[in-house]
Amino acid sequence: MDSPTALRELGVSAGLLTAAERARLDEDGFLPLPGILSAGQLQVIRQRLAELSAAEGERAGLEVHQEEGTDRLADLVNKDPVFEVCFTSPRVLAAIAHVLGDFTLSSLNSRAALPGAGHQRLHADWAEPVSSGDYQVCNSIWLIDDFTAANGPTRVVPGSHRSAQLPRQVMTDPTGPCPGEVKVLGSAGTVVIFNAHVWHGGTRNTTHRSRRALHSYFCRRGLKQQLDQRAYVRPETLARLSPAAQHILGVR
């Protein structure tokens, strides 16, 4: 199966994004898509994240990354069918394809900023600067809770993906504020697509509740995935996924 066929079978078409949405993604480097997840889906995902965190304990997130001040989970592809939407949603995949062209899922993880924690330095998700248009990675943040100004939302610097620079090259302290940065706010169920070369980072959660999100991260097809999907995919996962979804994972 080739990628155009897989995307077509998953219901993806260029018409799923308006011209204004494509322009915003090109210019600003990020695009909120409200209402991707329903209230019912959110309830099931929240319950499943809590169950997985309790079951995995101190090992949670080890497949990819652990981070002080957060609760992380990784390899969610294999941990419940409820997470399949994160790599099969037509609107989301249309936006990823707009940025990357041909792509695969790189990893599917969760991150919860704990009360009093969650601040990160500004960074891009690619180690080297790239020329405008030569993008290698694209991320999507699935808001499982509302993102408010106080609960540790992601901050981004609009247009920074077109600068061919990294924060550490131009900022004395990438943990500090950057001129022009904005906090990405939105209601639970929104998915924020962001070109992962845009400068971004978590902010401190000043509330008394964790702020939860899923990160469905994609890379150009052929690049090394953050989590080797072919090595990790379980037989029962393959059995429930369509050929098109398997192609997005890069396991078919």
Side-chain angles (χ1 to χ4, degrees):
M1 177 176 289
D2 60 20
S3 293
T5 300
L7 291 175
R8 185 168 58 251
E9 290 190 2
L10 290 169
V12 180
S13 67
L16 292 177
L17 297 180
T18 67
E21 288 172 331
R22 292 192 295 272
R24 182 175 181 186
L25 191 50
D26 290 340
E27 293 298 313
D28 290 346
F30 69 100
L31 174 68
L33 299 175
I36 298 293
L37 293 175
S38 68
Q41 287 173 305
L42 287 167
Q43 181 177 1
V44 174
I45 288 171
R46 289 166 183 153
Q47 179 177 344
R48 191 65 183 121
L49 291 176
E51 292 169 350
L52 288 168
S53 291
E56 296 186 20
E58 293 183 356
R59 297 188 58 80
L62 272 179
E63 299 97 327
V64 172
H65 178 59
Q66 292 182 319
E67 176 189 358
E68 186 177 355
T70 69
D71 284 337
R72 281 186 174 264
L73 292 163
D75 190 27
L76 294 178
V77 168
N78 286 303
K79 294 180 179 177
D80 201 285
V82 72
F83 301 116
E84 288 177 23
V85 66
C86 297
F87 55 93
T88 60
S89 170
R91 284 257 286 162
V92 170
L93 295 185
I96 302 297
H98 179 73
V99 175
L100 296 180
D102 197 6
F103 64 89
T104 60
L105 183 77
S106 186
S107 62
L108 176 54
N109 311 311
S110 70
R111 179 181 186 269
L114 301 180
H119 189 79
Q120 297 175 317
R121 61 180 174 82
L122 283 174
H123 63 281
D125 290 338
W126 193 250
E128 302 295 332
V130 301
S131 300
S132 181
D134 188 26
Y135 304 126
Q136 306 296 308
V137 285
C138 189
N139 215 332
S140 60
I141 305 177
W142 298 66
L143 278 58
I144 306 306
D145 297 305
D146 294 345
F147 271 36
T148 70
N151 71 354
T154 303
R155 57 177 176 147
V156 302
V157 182
S160 54
H161 61 300
R162 295 183 282 108
S163 70
Q165 294 178 307
L166 298 175
R168 58 180 167 80
Q169 296 175 308
V170 297
M171 296 180 68
T172 304
D173 179 13
T175 64
C178 180
E181 74 174 39
V182 299
K183 290 183 176 180
V184 178
L185 309 180
S187 300
T190 296
V191 177
V192 181
I193 309 298
F194 73 97
N195 182 320
H197 299 274
V198 79
W199 302 0
H200 65 279
T203 60
R204 184 172 180 266
N205 180 356
T206 61
T207 73
H208 299 291
R209 299 182 63 181
S210 296
R211 193 275 300 141
R212 297 162 291 187
L214 305 177
H215 293 179
S216 188
Y217 178 50
F218 299 86
C219 62
R220 279 191 178 179
R221 187 169 295 274
L223 292 179
K224 182 180 179 180
Q225 296 163 313
Q226 187 176 50
L227 190 71
D228 185 340
Q229 301 298 326
R230 189 178 293 275
Y232 272 82
V233 70
R234 300 173 186 173
E236 58 268 29
T237 302
L238 284 175
R240 63 175 160 80
L241 293 179
S242 69
Q246 292 180 31
H247 183 81
I248 298 298
L249 291 185
V251 299
R252 181 182 176 88

